[in-house]
Amino acid sequence: MTWTARDIPDLHGRTALVTGVTGDLGRETARGLAGAGARVILTARNDEKLRESARRISDEVPRADLDTVVLDLADLSSVRRAAESVLESSAALDILVNNAGVMATPHRRTVDGFELQLGTNHLGHFALTGLLMPALSEARVVTVSSLMHRFALHAPLHDAREERRYHKWLAYSESKLANLLFALELDRRAKAAGLGLTSVAAHPGYSATQLQTSGPQLAGKSLWSRVMAAATPVVGQKPEIGALPSLYAATRPDLPGGSYVGPSQLELRGAPKLVGMTSAARNADTAAALWQRSADATGVTFLSAVT
């Protein structure tokens, strides 16, 4: 291990926002930022679980400066309320970690009619980032993707509300490809606009979290859920290690925009390092098309196209 949470620079006077802190990776990311002195805005959709996560972080980081904001990424009205609340309390955000997500869920739809995985993992974060832009002009924005982006057959340029054949793992892979396309396009557009915003991406490798079992549980597959629950702690790395790529991406000084950070050992586990992505993820034309479709779908428009 060559880089750990102890290597995070002093973050006193900085403000960070992390989505999905009731999950293991989100909570560990928030704990790492708080431990380095940042004021951290914790967000999640369930208020009771959100407050419990805040209590747990405060127990581990006694002087933690924490705020909580309820945010359901599967409901654009909730995204708008959360963004308004954050902007009222924070003139500037120094770090935004778009961490929350769902994985391999049965076919379901968000409040706004989007396929659940694309709606939550990509469109919700797209809208949140856009609505928070007044506070992000000098920020580091980290969008969490996955190794699974490599299995996407194509970018999700379809209408997220349309009925189409559904395969839960392909839908997940497409949403994670969308995360990378968004991260790189955000960096291109921010640079073209002359902003100090730096957009990067990260992935946790294979980590022992509840995310591996939540999809099977939603589908009612209790046996498969039990199998995953038993296997994941053996194969996967601990959440505090899985959060390191996000923490590295969020805090490493002078990290170039468009960087992608993952674990060092076959991208499955270990210390964070810069990793590669597919050519599909680097396609600027596809990214621009996805951006426009995302803006049309969410009604959130920000940053002009790169010309």
Side-chain angles (χ1 to χ4, degrees), residues 1 4 11 14 27 37 72 120 171 180 193 206 214 246 258 266 278:
M1 186 67 66
T4 72
L11 299 178
R14 305 289 186 90
R27 185 170 55 251
D72 184 353
T120 302
L180 283 176
Y206 193 86
S214 59
S246 290
L266 301 176
T278 61

Side-chain angles (χ1 to χ4, degrees), residues 65-150:
D65 184 0
L66 306 175
D67 289 323
T68 60
V69 175
V70 174
L71 166 66
D72 184 353
L73 290 162
D75 181 350
L76 289 177
S77 65
S78 174
V79 175
R80 291 183 182 278
R81 287 193 299 271
E84 290 173 0
S85 176
V86 171
L87 292 176
E88 287 175 0
S89 66
S90 305
L93 288 174
D94 300 285
I95 298 169
L96 169 62
V97 184
N98 290 323
N99 163 82
V102 293
M103 183 175 74
T105 61
H107 187 261
R108 294 187 178 180
R109 295 201 172 271
T110 70
V111 170
D112 304 282
F114 305 134
E115 184 275 310
L116 180 62
Q117 296 192 81
L118 184 61
T120 302
N121 298 351
H122 168 62
L123 291 173
H125 281 124
F126 176 91
L128 177 67
T129 304
L131 292 167
L132 290 175
M133 277 304 298
L136 294 174
S137 61
E138 300 293 330
R140 178 78 61 86
V141 178
V142 181
T143 300
V144 179
S145 182
S146 167
L147 271 172
M148 289 296 293
H149 89 273
R150 297 181 178 277

Side-chain angles (χ1 to χ4, degrees), residues 26 50 60 72 183 193 206 277 291 296:
L50 177 58
E60 296 168 341
D72 184 353
Y206 193 86
M277 62 184 75
W291 186 287
D296 293 342

Side-chain angles (χ1 to χ4, degrees), residues 22-85:
T22 56
D24 295 324
L25 292 174
R27 185 170 55 251
E28 289 299 327
T29 300
R31 183 173 70 87
L33 296 171
R39 169 183 171 243
V40 184
I41 302 171
L42 311 173
T43 74
R45 63 182 178 178
N46 183 294
D47 185 47
E48 182 178 350
K49 292 181 179 179
L50 177 58
R51 295 182 184 280
E52 174 59 26
S53 287
R55 284 192 292 271
R56 289 180 61 177
I57 293 171
S58 294
D59 287 344
E60 296 168 341
V61 185
R63 296 183 180 180
D65 184 0
L66 306 175
D67 289 323
T68 60
V69 175
V70 174
L71 166 66
D72 184 353
L73 290 162
D75 181 350
L76 289 177
S77 65
S78 174
V79 175
R80 291 183 182 278
R81 287 193 299 271
E84 290 173 0
S85 176

Side-chain angles (χ1 to χ4, degrees), residues 262-282:
S264 57
Q265 298 176 26
L266 301 176
E267 293 190 45
L268 294 174
R269 56 193 302 131
K273 70 169 188 175
L274 295 182
V275 297
M277 62 184 75
T278 61
S279 59
R282 298 192 302 271

Side-chain angles (χ1 to χ4, degrees), residues 202-252:
H203 80 80
Y206 193 86
S207 299
T209 73
Q210 80 281 13
L211 190 62
Q212 279 75 21
T213 58
S214 59
Q217 287 171 346
L218 283 173
K221 298 178 180 178
S222 57
L223 177 59
W224 180 243
S225 180
R226 290 196 296 271
V227 170
M228 290 292 288
T232 294
V234 177
V235 179
Q237 58 186 350
K238 295 179 179 179
E240 57 266 32
I241 306 301
L244 289 180
S246 290
L247 288 167
Y248 183 101
T251 66
R252 180 76 174 184

